[in-house]
Amino acid sequence: MSDLLNALINSEEKIDWRHFVSDIRQQEKRYLLRNDILSAFTNYCINHQKSSEFPKKSNLSKLIYYTQEIILEDGSLCLIIRPKIASQEVYRVTEDLKIEPMTVQELLDVRDLLVNRFHPNEGDIFEIDFGPFYDYSPTIRDPKNIGKGVQFLNRFLSSKLLQDPQKWLEALYKFLSLHSYNNLQLLINDRIKSQQELSDRVKQGLKLVSDLPADEPYQNFRYELQTMGFEPGWGNTASRVRDTLSLLDELIDSPDPQTLEAFISRIPMIFRVVLVSIHGWFGQEGVLGRPDTGGQVVYVLDQAKSLEQELQEHICLTGLEVLGVESKVIILTRLIPNNDGTRSNQRLEKVHGTENAWILRVPFREYNPNITHNWISRFEIWPYLETYAIDAERELLAEFQGRPDFIVGNYSDGNLVAFLLARRLKITQCNVAHALEKSKYLFSNLYWQESDDKYHFSLQFTADLIAMNAANFLISSTYQEIVGTPDSVGQYESYKCFTMPELYHVVNGIELFSPKFNVVPPGVNENVYFPYTRQEDRIPNDRDRLEQMLFTQEDSGLIFGKLDDPSKRPLFSMARLDRIKNMTGLAECFGKSERLQEHCNLILIAGKLRVEESGDNEERDEIEKLYRIIDQYNLYGKIRWLGVRLPKNDSGEIYRIIADRQGIFVQPALFEAFGLTILESMISGLPTFATQFGGPLEIIQDKVNGFYINPTNLEETAEKIWEFVSKCEHNSNYWQEVSQRGIERVYSTYTWKIHTNKLLSLGRIYGFWNFTSKENREDLLRYLESLFYLLYKPRAQRLLERHLHS
């Protein structure tokens, strides 16, 4: 990018550059983000009457396109340029047009000065740098392959097998001899004493099973295999054992990535799984819509059900079912003594529809029962997590009657607890970050001191850095969660370098090109959410009851608004009432469009109806705002607001009822990491409009099976929805066409079977990688422990002291 800068400044366009800089200096802002920069450039072109070609083909326009941020300094400015995804360059341009490359440290100093918190000459600041810990690990080169970590890792491991077959076959031999279940040896026994002997015995075993009928049960030839050195775990029939041994034989003779993944995915090494989801009201009914309780609960419950089924199928296929081997999945969450009518005070609860999946609730220690016996906001939860992990370890060991094999953390708090548990139990750790708050709150790190009393970002961002670097692998729902798009920075990318003035500088917070990143989108519960056309699976009584609740039932204390004409096309949305979910923005969008009001009703299922009923500050603010909008735009008779918490089955039927009336689902979030409600609405058959900021970009194909909206531009959003409504009224088939394409999109890509199959395959392959690579993670883990005890724990202790005196 320095070439482009030099070309600009050494051409006639340097006059335009001076004028553009002069224009932006007239603004009050000293820190311009991408949207500010693009808007300022558009205004510059208009005000200076530039030609129609200038905004597209000039050097200045090219520079503007790649510039992510501009910081105005006295006498110069700092350009943060993103020439490509996951890459950043920083330059200072002086008044006399000198171009000086800047280091990350210099950039962070400039940002500190911007908030007048810290001057770099007044002393050093703590620097966090994870870069050296990734120097000895393989890294991906091409940004488009970020998120395909396991594919890269398989290629890397296969190449190692070819380069040094003796070493890697020895590692493979040792790895196969490791596995057992409750003292039952699996795969190979001590009759096979070396990797060469393993190779010979594989060929003997293949000859044995090849002569047997394909469906011959494993039990019938178990002892013949055992005398060769093969223990249970290779398959449940002769054909399954033959296929598994063939893969190993091929891997020994001529390794390739596909064979490696196929073989490792067959190894019985994961039986007991922990899913960690700490905050909120975790339950199977009566919890959704409460503060901090939404899509993550749905995600984890559905994941647990599918995992248990997938694990049990794998046990059956490996021939271990007849030996009494069982899978077990535990969702580890928080026990809340003052349960407010939920089951959150029950220690153990079986997951509906499963044989051996459980919710295990462990309480926070009673530092102050007025706090710890009640729900605690996800922003206030941090002081209790270390002792919680210690208590949870004891409970998990008792429930599993041994160590779990695999742990999956969810969200920042669950990921930190997963780190603490994985460290103590020495098991493979996977992290899921459904949404990282750093991306949701603008300048949340830069101005952290102004909001730390309310949000405690200093704790959360430190916890994120620790957990994401500790994890053996991370899964995201979308590619752009990791590294964004050409126009926007990804959630994880935002942790690459940042400052928290007077606390620390992060000069390298995460290696985006590490193979630990994998895109594994979630699924949708097909038993609850299915197309509205499947009338035979719908329950008429439920439909009648819910239809009345949505459109005609009199105010019951849980419903606001009576519709003048319930037959109008419904615009529907369902989400928590918080700022990011932006339900108030949708109401205002509706209020600004007389055409939408004339042809549609707005139906919202969102939070509570009264301020005094909510204990969440953001929810209270949004309740007040929604009432103001209804008054301002006189939406009485056109809006229906339900403050209800729905059982899952009811929410599925509600989507279908809206679809019966050829309605529309609108997801107006300011940012959405993924968007399970989008999958739910699409599979139900509802044409869906969803935010262009976040995961929906990878779910929806715009104007094919859904539509993108910019929730910050209410008039444009209203126009897009109206355009669709108008088309539907002029073409009776248009609604059905979009509806059907949405259904097909979900079934082809977003099922839980696809998700859990991939997740378990990743768990096995990263377990194999950790063993065979002999990668020294101890230095990294010690560094992470230092951050935990020196940065995280003292701040958590101060928050705890505040809670003790509440």
Side-chain angles (χ1 to χ4, degrees):
M1 294 307 295
S2 59
D3 291 342
L4 177 58
L5 264 170
N6 282 312
L8 168 65
I9 286 169
N10 293 322
S11 71
E12 293 180 0
E13 285 186 38
K14 69 181 177 184
I15 297 170
D16 289 300
W17 170 255
R18 287 188 185 279
H19 287 160
F20 175 69
V21 171
S22 176
D23 282 2
I24 60 176
R25 284 195 181 278
Q26 305 307 310
Q27 303 179 17
E28 290 185 12
K29 290 183 178 178
R30 293 179 60 203
Y31 202 135
L32 280 70
L33 298 178
R34 181 169 173 76
N35 282 344
D36 302 320
I37 298 163
L38 293 173
S39 176
F41 182 62
T42 299
N43 292 334
Y44 171 79
C45 292
I46 293 169
N47 295 337
H48 291 263
Q49 299 180 332
K50 306 306 291 184
S51 71
S52 59
E53 295 296 306
F54 188 83
K56 302 172 187 174
K57 296 187 176 179
S58 63
N59 285 327
L60 181 55
S61 70
K62 292 173 187 173
L63 179 66
I64 293 298
Y65 175 78
Y66 290 112
T67 301
Q68 204 70 29
E69 302 168 22
I70 294 177
I71 303 174
L72 300 172
E73 302 179 274
D74 294 335
S76 63
L77 55 80
C78 175
L79 296 176
I80 296 94
I81 297 172
R82 194 165 173 260
K84 58 184 178 180
I85 281 176
S87 177
Q88 176 180 284
E89 297 174 11
V90 189
Y91 300 94
R92 176 178 279 118
V93 183
T94 63
E95 276 189 320
D96 57 357
L97 301 186
K98 286 185 179 176
I99 301 166
E100 303 169 355
M102 293 175 64
T103 64
V104 170
Q105 287 87 342
E106 288 170 334
L107 169 63
L108 299 181
D109 286 341
V110 168
R111 286 174 172 162
D112 283 348
L113 283 169
L114 187 72
V115 293
N116 298 318
R117 295 287 186 193
F118 177 79
H119 194 286
N121 294 329
E122 293 175 359
D124 291 330
I125 189 167
F126 189 88
E127 279 192 354
I128 297 174
D129 184 359
F130 287 98
F133 298 106
Y134 291 94
D135 285 347
Y136 303 104
S137 300
T139 52
I140 291 166
R141 294 182 180 179
D142 190 338
K144 72 173 181 289
N145 290 325
I146 291 172
K148 300 175 183 176
V150 75
Q151 295 173 26
F152 172 85
L153 206 53
N154 287 334
R155 288 195 299 271
F156 180 81
L157 288 168
S158 299
S159 69
K160 288 288 185 184
L161 281 164
L162 282 170
Q163 290 168 21
D164 192 348
Q166 197 68 17
K167 175 188 169 185
W168 282 87
L169 287 178
E170 183 180 356
L172 181 60
Y173 160 72
K174 289 180 178 176
F175 182 71
L176 291 176
S177 62
L178 279 179
H179 301 294
S180 64
Y181 175 89
N182 289 354
N183 299 318
L184 171 69
Q185 180 63 34
L186 303 178
L187 297 176
I188 62 174
N189 58 38
D190 56 10
R191 289 189 178 93
I192 300 175
K193 302 186 185 315
S194 69
Q195 68 270 23
Q196 185 55 51
E197 201 168 346
L198 173 65
S199 179
D200 295 339
R201 294 291 173 84
V202 166
K203 290 179 176 15
Q204 291 175 30
L206 274 170
K207 187 176 186 310
L208 169 69
V209 293
S210 296
D211 293 336
L212 296 171
D215 59 354
E216 184 79 14
Y218 167 72
Q219 286 295 90
N220 292 355
F221 55 91
R222 172 184 176 184
Y223 295 108
E224 291 173 83
L225 278 178
Q226 218 163 17
T227 57
M228 294 181 185
F230 295 109
E231 293 292 340
W234 295 96
N236 60 338
T237 63
S239 63
R240 179 80 184 183
V241 173
R242 185 188 65 233
D243 291 346
T244 308
L245 288 173
S246 294
L247 285 168
L248 179 55
D249 190 44
E250 190 177 335
L251 191 61
I252 291 170
D253 290 343
S254 53
D256 66 72
Q258 291 76 26
T259 305
L260 179 65
E261 181 169 2
F263 175 70
I264 299 297
S265 295
R266 285 179 173 234
I267 291 180
M269 54 188 283
I270 298 177
F271 306 101
R272 307 177 181 101
V273 178
V274 183
L275 307 176
V276 188
S277 180
I278 307 297
H279 70 262
W281 301 82
F282 200 101
Q284 300 184 77
E285 58 270 316
V287 297
L288 295 181
R290 291 172 181 265
D292 290 346
T293 310
Q296 182 171 316
V297 172
V298 175
Y299 177 104
V300 175
L301 277 170
D302 287 346
Q303 187 185 57
K305 292 175 185 177
S306 186
L307 271 173
E308 189 224 24
Q309 186 175 347
E310 199 68 32
L311 284 167
Q312 204 55 47
E313 285 178 13
H314 192 264
I315 287 170
C316 181
L317 287 171
T318 52
L320 298 177
E321 188 177 38
V322 294
L323 302 176
V325 175
E326 292 182 329
S327 65
K328 188 168 188 175
V329 177
I330 288 180
I331 299 168
L332 176 65
T333 190
R334 189 190 155 215
L335 186 145
I336 306 174
N338 294 337
N339 62 317
D340 193 25
T342 72
R343 293 187 182 176
S344 296
N345 64 339
Q346 292 186 11
R347 177 184 176 273
L348 203 60
E349 181 184 354
K350 193 173 184 182
V351 177
H352 300 331
T354 68
E355 292 296 322
N356 207 12
W358 302 83
I359 300 169
L360 172 65
R361 298 185 180 93
V362 176
F364 287 162
R365 292 188 187 175
E366 294 185 0
Y367 292 99
N368 176 356
N370 292 330
I371 300 287
T372 54
H373 279 197
N374 298 300
W375 166 81
I376 300 174
S377 163
R378 71 185 188 276
F379 296 116
E380 300 278 335
I381 206 169
W382 308 106
Y384 309 101
L385 298 182
E386 183 184 14
T387 51
Y388 178 88
I390 293 167
D391 296 341
E393 179 189 10
R394 183 175 61 251
E395 299 280 344
L396 287 169
L397 290 172
E399 287 301 319
F400 281 124
Q401 297 184 337
R403 285 190 315 165
D405 305 304
F406 182 37
I407 188 165
V408 182
N410 290 272
Y411 191 74
S412 301
D413 51 3
N415 288 332
L416 186 68
V417 170
F419 156 66
L420 295 170
L421 285 168
R423 178 73 167 131
R424 294 166 67 92
L425 295 168
K426 300 190 184 327
I427 56 176
T428 302
Q429 176 194 350
C430 167
N431 282 6
V432 184
H434 302 282
L436 294 167
E437 303 289 349
K438 187 171 177 296
S439 304
K440 292 160 61 175
Y441 292 83
L442 192 62
F443 293 130
S444 50
N445 61 286
L446 199 59
Y447 296 98
W448 69 274
Q449 286 166 302
E450 296 177 10
S451 60
D452 215 47
D453 280 351
K454 183 177 181 181
Y455 291 118
H456 307 291
F457 287 139
S458 60
L459 281 161
Q460 181 152 8
F461 299 166
T462 306
D464 286 335
L465 285 169
I466 292 169
M468 66 177 62
N469 283 285
N472 298 108
F473 68 98
L474 304 106
I475 64 172
S476 68
S477 300
T478 61
Y479 171 83
Q480 60 87 41
E481 269 183 52
I482 309 169
V483 287
T485 68
D487 298 328
S488 63
V489 171
Q491 287 191 75
Y492 285 98
E493 188 179 359
S494 73
Y495 283 79
K496 182 70 176 174
C497 73
F498 65 94
T499 174
M500 300 193 80
E502 294 188 327
L503 184 61
Y504 55 66
H505 282 175
V506 177
V507 297
N508 192 344
I510 185 72
E511 177 50 73
L512 299 168
F513 289 85
S514 168
K516 68 165 58 181
F517 284 106
N518 290 274
V519 176
V520 186
V524 62
N525 187 330
E526 298 167 55
N527 295 319
V528 174
Y529 304 101
F530 54 83
Y532 74 103
T533 51
R534 273 170 48 186
Q535 298 292 344
E536 68 278 8
D537 295 323
R538 299 174 66 178
I539 302 170
N541 289 342
D542 285 352
R543 179 165 39 191
D544 294 343
R545 170 178 57 85
L546 293 169
E547 195 159 32
Q548 288 177 28
M549 183 184 76
L550 283 168
F551 299 107
T552 59
Q553 184 179 315
E554 293 295 322
D555 186 354
S556 63
L558 298 173
I559 300 170
F560 174 87
K562 182 177 180 181
L563 298 176
D564 292 339
D565 182 0
S567 67
K568 288 181 183 177
R569 189 187 302 271
L571 302 183
F572 174 61
S573 194
M574 179 162 50
R576 297 191 312 274
L577 264 181
D578 63 31
R579 187 181 68 82
I580 296 298
K581 293 298 182 185
N582 194 37
M583 298 291 269
T584 52
L586 176 57
E588 188 167 6
C589 167
F590 182 68
K592 285 177 176 289
S593 173
E594 291 185 8
R595 290 185 297 188
L596 284 180
Q597 292 174 47
E598 186 180 342
H599 290 81
C600 305
N601 289 316
L602 180 61
I603 313 291
L604 302 178
I605 297 181
K608 291 184 168 67
L609 298 182
R610 284 170 281 279
V611 171
E612 60 271 16
E613 293 176 352
S614 175
D616 182 79
N617 291 331
E618 247 183 35
E619 185 178 47
R620 287 198 292 264
D621 292 344
E622 291 297 295
I623 291 170
E624 291 177 347
K625 186 176 178 183
L626 189 48
Y627 281 121
R628 286 198 302 271
I629 289 166
I630 292 168
D631 276 338
Q632 180 182 349
Y633 294 99
N634 191 23
L635 297 180
Y636 299 99
K638 304 165 188 174
I639 190 171
R640 186 105 158 144
W641 171 14
L642 286 71
V644 295
R645 295 194 186 100
L646 296 169
K648 213 187 242 190
N649 287 334
D650 280 0
S651 67
E653 185 58 28
I654 279 173
Y655 285 118
R656 292 187 286 272
I657 289 168
I658 300 292
D660 288 335
R661 297 181 176 221
Q662 294 207 340
I664 297 165
F665 181 78
V666 186
Q667 202 272 33
L670 299 175
F671 176 83
E672 184 61 67
F674 184 68
L676 275 175
T677 55
I678 295 167
L679 294 184
E680 293 164 2
S681 67
M682 288 173 71
I683 200 172
S684 303
L686 275 175
T688 299
F689 288 73
T691 179
Q692 68 186 36
F693 301 121
L697 282 177
E698 291 178 43
I699 301 174
I700 289 173
Q701 294 154 316
D702 192 30
K703 299 177 184 176
V704 176
N705 47 40
F707 303 87
Y708 302 147
I709 56 172
N710 179 349
T712 65
N713 189 329
L714 301 181
E715 291 83 359
E716 179 188 271
T717 296
E719 185 60 33
K720 284 188 175 182
I721 298 171
W722 166 248
E723 185 181 328
F724 175 77
V725 170
S726 180
K727 278 187 180 180
C728 291
E729 294 188 355
H730 288 91
N731 176 358
S732 58
N733 294 324
Y734 185 59
W735 187 93
Q736 282 94 346
E737 289 168 5
V738 176
S739 168
Q740 186 58 36
R741 289 196 291 263
I743 293 168
E744 290 167 0
R745 172 69 172 162
V746 178
Y747 278 126
S748 68
T749 314
Y750 300 103
T751 69
W752 277 113
K753 184 166 183 62
I754 295 170
H755 171 95
T756 48
N757 188 284
K758 185 69 172 176
L759 176 61
L760 290 171
S761 177
L762 290 169
R764 296 180 185 107
I765 289 164
Y766 281 90
F768 176 64
W769 161 251
N770 291 335
F771 178 81
T772 54
S773 70
K774 304 299 182 188
E775 185 180 18
N776 186 5
R777 281 171 47 88
E778 191 60 29
D779 290 350
L780 168 62
L781 293 169
R782 289 292 185 186
Y783 185 66
L784 292 169
E785 284 180 341
S786 298
L787 296 182
F788 180 84
Y789 289 109
L790 295 175
L791 284 176
Y792 177 92
K793 193 168 180 176
R795 300 196 71 82
Q797 189 63 37
R798 286 199 284 275
L799 178 55
L800 178 61
E801 288 166 6
R802 198 170 88 182
H803 284 186
L804 287 171
H805 297 97
S806 295

Coordinates of all heavy atoms in Angstrom, one line a residue, residues 179 184-192 218 222 225-235 318 320 323:
H179 N -5.6 -45.8 23.7 CA -7.1 -45.6 24.0 C -7.7 -46.8 24.8 O -7.4 -47.9 24.5 CB -7.8 -45.4 22.6 CG -7.3 -44.3 21.9 ND1 -7.5 -43.0 22.3 CD2 -6.6 -44.2 20.7 CE1 -6.9 -42.1 21.4 NE2 -6.4 -42.9 20.5
L184 N -11.0 -50.9 29.7 CA -11.1 -51.8 28.6 C -10.2 -51.3 27.5 O -10.4 -50.2 26.9 CB -12.5 -51.8 28.0 CG -12.8 -52.6 26.7 CD1 -12.6 -54.1 26.9 CD2 -14.2 -52.3 26.2
Q185 N -9.1 -52.0 27.2 CA -8.2 -51.6 26.1 C -8.8 -51.6 24.8 O -9.6 -52.5 24.4 CB -7.0 -52.5 26.1 CG -5.9 -52.2 25.1 CD -5.3 -50.8 25.3 OE1 -5.1 -50.4 26.5 NE2 -4.9 -50.1 24.3
L186 N -8.6 -50.6 24.0 CA -9.2 -50.5 22.7 C -8.1 -50.5 21.6 O -6.9 -50.2 21.9 CB -10.0 -49.2 22.5 CG -11.1 -48.9 23.6 CD1 -11.7 -47.6 23.3 CD2 -12.1 -50.0 23.5
L187 N -8.4 -50.9 20.4 CA -7.6 -50.8 19.2 C -6.5 -51.8 19.1 O -6.5 -52.7 18.3 CB -7.2 -49.4 18.9 CG -8.3 -48.4 18.7 CD1 -7.8 -47.0 18.5 CD2 -9.2 -48.7 17.5
I188 N -5.4 -51.6 19.9 CA -4.3 -52.5 19.8 C -3.8 -52.8 21.2 O -3.9 -52.0 22.1 CB -3.1 -52.0 18.9 CG1 -2.5 -50.7 19.5 CG2 -3.5 -51.8 17.5 CD1 -1.3 -50.3 18.7
N189 N -3.2 -54.1 21.3 CA -2.7 -54.5 22.6 C -1.2 -54.7 22.5 O -0.6 -54.5 21.5 CB -3.4 -55.7 23.2 CG -3.4 -56.9 22.2 OD1 -2.3 -57.1 21.6 ND2 -4.5 -57.6 22.1
D190 N -0.6 -55.3 23.6 CA 0.9 -55.4 23.6 C 1.4 -56.5 22.8 O 2.6 -56.8 22.8 CB 1.4 -55.5 25.1 CG 0.7 -56.6 25.8 OD1 0.0 -57.5 25.2 OD2 0.9 -56.7 27.1
R191 N 0.5 -57.2 22.1 CA 1.0 -58.2 21.1 C 1.7 -57.6 19.9 O 2.4 -58.2 19.2 CB -0.1 -59.2 20.7 CG -0.6 -60.1 21.8 CD -1.5 -61.2 21.2 NE -1.9 -62.2 22.2 CZ -3.0 -62.0 22.9 NH1 -3.8 -61.0 22.7 NH2 -3.4 -62.9 23.8
I192 N 1.3 -56.3 19.7 CA 1.9 -55.5 18.6 C 2.9 -54.6 19.3 O 2.5 -53.7 20.0 CB 0.8 -54.7 17.8 CG1 -0.2 -55.6 17.2 CG2 1.5 -53.8 16.8 CD1 -1.4 -54.9 16.5
Y218 N -18.9 -58.5 14.6 CA -17.6 -58.5 15.2 C -17.4 -59.5 16.3 O -16.3 -60.1 16.3 CB -17.3 -57.1 15.8 CG -16.1 -57.0 16.6 CD1 -14.8 -57.0 16.1 CD2 -16.2 -56.8 18.0 CE1 -13.7 -57.0 16.9 CE2 -15.1 -56.8 18.8 CZ -13.8 -56.8 18.2 OH -12.7 -56.8 19.0
R222 N -13.9 -61.7 17.1 CA -13.2 -60.8 18.0 C -11.9 -61.5 18.5 O -10.9 -60.9 18.5 CB -14.1 -60.5 19.2 CG -13.4 -59.7 20.3 CD -14.3 -59.5 21.5 NE -13.6 -58.9 22.6 CZ -14.1 -58.6 23.8 NH1 -15.4 -59.0 24.0 NH2 -13.4 -58.1 24.7
L225 N -9.0 -61.7 16.0 CA -8.3 -60.5 15.9 C -7.5 -60.1 17.1 O -6.4 -59.6 17.0 CB -9.3 -59.3 15.7 CG -9.9 -59.1 14.3 CD1 -10.9 -58.0 14.2 CD2 -8.8 -58.8 13.3
Q226 N -8.0 -60.5 18.3 CA -7.3 -60.2 19.5 C -5.9 -60.9 19.6 O -4.9 -60.4 20.0 CB -8.1 -60.6 20.7 CG -8.1 -59.7 21.9 CD -9.2 -59.9 22.8 OE1 -9.9 -60.9 22.8 NE2 -9.4 -58.9 23.7
T227 N -5.9 -62.2 19.1 CA -4.6 -62.9 19.1 C -3.6 -62.2 18.1 O -2.4 -62.4 18.3 CB -4.8 -64.3 18.6 OG1 -5.4 -64.4 17.3 CG2 -5.7 -65.1 19.6
M228 N -4.0 -61.5 17.1 CA -3.1 -60.7 16.2 C -2.7 -59.4 16.9 O -1.8 -58.8 16.4 CB -3.9 -60.4 14.9 CG -4.2 -61.6 14.1 SD -5.0 -61.0 12.6 CE -5.4 -62.6 11.8
G229 N -3.4 -59.0 18.0 CA -3.0 -57.7 18.6 C -4.1 -56.6 18.5 O -3.8 -55.5 18.9
F230 N -5.2 -57.0 17.9 CA -6.3 -56.0 17.7 C -7.4 -56.1 18.7 O -8.1 -57.1 18.8 CB -6.9 -56.1 16.3 CG -5.9 -55.8 15.2 CD1 -5.4 -56.8 14.4 CD2 -5.4 -54.5 15.0 CE1 -4.5 -56.6 13.4 CE2 -4.5 -54.3 14.0 CZ -4.0 -55.3 13.2
E231 N -7.6 -55.1 19.5 CA -8.7 -55.0 20.5 C -9.9 -54.4 19.9 O -9.9 -53.9 18.7 CB -8.2 -54.2 21.7 CG -7.1 -54.8 22.5 CD -7.5 -56.1 23.2 OE1 -8.7 -56.3 23.4 OE2 -6.6 -56.9 23.6
P232 N -11.1 -54.4 20.6 CA -12.3 -53.8 20.0 C -12.1 -52.3 19.6 O -11.3 -51.6 20.1 CB -13.3 -53.9 21.2 CG -12.8 -55.0 22.0 CD -11.3 -54.9 21.9
G233 N -13.0 -51.9 18.7 CA -13.0 -50.5 18.3 C -12.8 -50.3 16.8 O -12.9 -49.2 16.3
W234 N -12.5 -51.4 16.1 CA -12.3 -51.3 14.6 C -13.6 -51.3 13.8 O -13.6 -50.9 12.7 CB -11.3 -52.4 14.2 CG -10.0 -52.3 14.8 CD1 -9.5 -52.9 15.9 CD2 -8.9 -51.5 14.4 NE1 -8.3 -52.6 16.2 CE2 -7.8 -51.7 15.3 CE3 -8.7 -50.6 13.3 CZ2 -6.6 -51.0 15.2 CZ3 -7.5 -49.9 13.2 CH2 -6.5 -50.1 14.1
G235 N -14.6 -51.9 14.4 CA -15.9 -51.9 13.6 C -16.8 -53.0 14.2 O -16.4 -53.8 15.0
T318 N -18.4 -48.8 15.8 CA -17.0 -49.3 16.1 C -17.1 -50.6 16.8 O -16.0 -51.2 17.2 CB -16.3 -48.3 17.0 OG1 -17.1 -47.9 18.1 CG2 -15.9 -47.0 16.3
L320 N -18.5 -51.3 19.8 CA -18.3 -51.2 21.3 C -19.6 -51.3 22.0 O -19.6 -51.4 23.3 CB -17.5 -49.9 21.6 CG -16.1 -49.8 21.0 CD1 -15.5 -48.4 21.4 CD2 -15.2 -50.9 21.6
L323 N -20.2 -54.2 24.2 CA -19.3 -54.4 25.3 C -19.7 -53.4 26.4 O -19.0 -53.3 27.4 CB -17.9 -54.1 24.9 CG -17.3 -55.0 23.8 CD1 -15.9 -54.5 23.4 CD2 -17.3 -56.4 24.2

